[in-house]
Structure formats: C-alpha cells, structure tokens
Amino acid sequence: MSRRKLSSVIPFGYVISKDHPSLLEEVPEQIEALEEISNLVMDKVLSLREGATWLEHKTGRKISHQGLKKIIDGRLGT
C-alpha cells in the first residue's frame, strides 16, 4: 500500500518509494511490530520507553517514546 509523502518526516513503518519519490511504501515488518507493541503499551504490559526500545531493536529503525505515544494516541483518536 502506498500513500503520498506529505512532509520531510517519513512515518514509522514507511519508506520513500524508489519508483515514485513522492510516494511512501509500507514496510510490513515495521507495521506488524508497531501493531504488536502498540497493543502491549495500551494494555500497560510495556511502558512507552520499553516499547520504543523494543521497536528499534526489532526493526533497526529509531523511534522515540514520544513518537510512539503520538502514533498510539492517533490510533485512539485522542
């Protein structure tokens, strides 16, 4: 699945398309890891910091605990 690149910040779970630099392509492994961690953080099994550290270890892509919170809050609509 692709979506338009709207800013210079590339959202977690996406990369710039090699064929169309104005589009972003999903990275399925990152999206799956994000889903897994989001659920654990929302269920209070892990803290935001622990979740961000785990995501970085699992995917090799950096994300701050604030960045993870922003993603989770966006999914919750808060």
Side-chain angles (χ1 to χ4, degrees):
M1 179 177 188
S2 296
R3 69 186 225 189
R4 288 191 59 122
K5 181 179 172 209
L6 301 175
S7 74
S8 62
V9 177
I10 309 303
F12 191 89
Y14 292 87
V15 294
I16 296 174
S17 171
K18 290 181 172 125
D19 298 328
H20 303 284
S22 63
L23 295 178
L24 300 173
E25 294 178 352
E26 279 188 359
V27 179
E29 298 81 18
Q30 289 181 11
I31 298 292
E32 290 168 13
L34 183 58
E35 288 287 331
E36 183 179 347
I37 283 302
S38 294
N39 290 332
L40 291 173
V41 170
M42 288 187 295
D43 292 342
K44 300 194 185 317
V45 174
L46 293 176
S47 70
L48 286 166
R49 288 182 192 274
E50 291 168 329
T53 300
W54 185 90
L55 276 173
E56 184 176 344
H57 175 74
K58 174 97 173 174
T59 65
R61 178 142 182 216
K62 285 185 132 334
I63 185 169
S64 67
H65 67 282
Q66 299 100 328
L68 180 57
K69 181 179 182 345
K70 189 174 180 178
I71 292 169
I72 292 171
D73 286 351
R75 291 176 181 212
L76 295 175
T78 57

